[in-house]
Amino acid sequence: QWTPHEVMHATTHLKGISGAVLSTRDGLLIASALPPDLVGEKVAAFIPQMFGRMTQYAKELGFGGSGQFTFLSEGVAFQIFSVADGFFAVIGRSGETLPRIQLAAIAARLSQPV
């Protein structure tokens, strides 16, 4: 089992990642490693709302449910995964692609029962 600190360390050392957050299902911060202009508690609070709305929209469009989604804002990717006890989110670096295989592996590991 990884500690939240180990998850943040492993994630933020991947190429293309500028930050990461672990949050509970109700938006409480578990751990974060973010750029200085972002506040972990604020990001964690919005993650469940964003995930819930995007899941609802995807279902309404006929795309089905999803365990993760990604969006881009001004060239920066933001990806949220639903994991066992909450959410795992990452913020990319401007103009760079996310390391999708490595992130999926981390999310799968976080989704395993404790």
Side-chain angles (χ1 to χ4, degrees), residues 16 29 32 36 63 81:
L29 179 66
S32 69
F63 296 138
F81 295 87

Side-chain angles (χ1 to χ4, degrees), residues 25-106:
R25 295 236 171 249
D26 56 357
L28 297 176
L29 179 66
I30 296 170
S32 69
L34 295 168
D37 57 331
L38 294 174
V39 178
E41 289 83 1
K42 184 185 269 188
V43 175
F46 279 103
I47 289 172
Q49 295 175 45
M50 291 188 302
F51 192 88
R53 288 181 182 175
M54 292 305 295
T55 299
Q56 177 185 349
Y57 299 152
K59 286 180 183 176
E60 289 177 12
L61 290 170
F63 296 138
S66 175
Q68 62 89 23
F69 78 88
T70 307
F71 70 90
L72 293 174
S73 178
E74 298 181 10
V76 176
F78 188 79
Q79 187 168 25
I80 302 173
F81 295 87
S82 176
V83 295
D85 295 326
F87 297 99
F88 167 57
V90 296
I91 300 166
R93 295 190 184 280
S94 181
E96 294 186 33
T97 59
L98 294 176
R100 296 189 187 278
I101 293 170
Q102 294 93 331
L103 293 174
I106 293 170

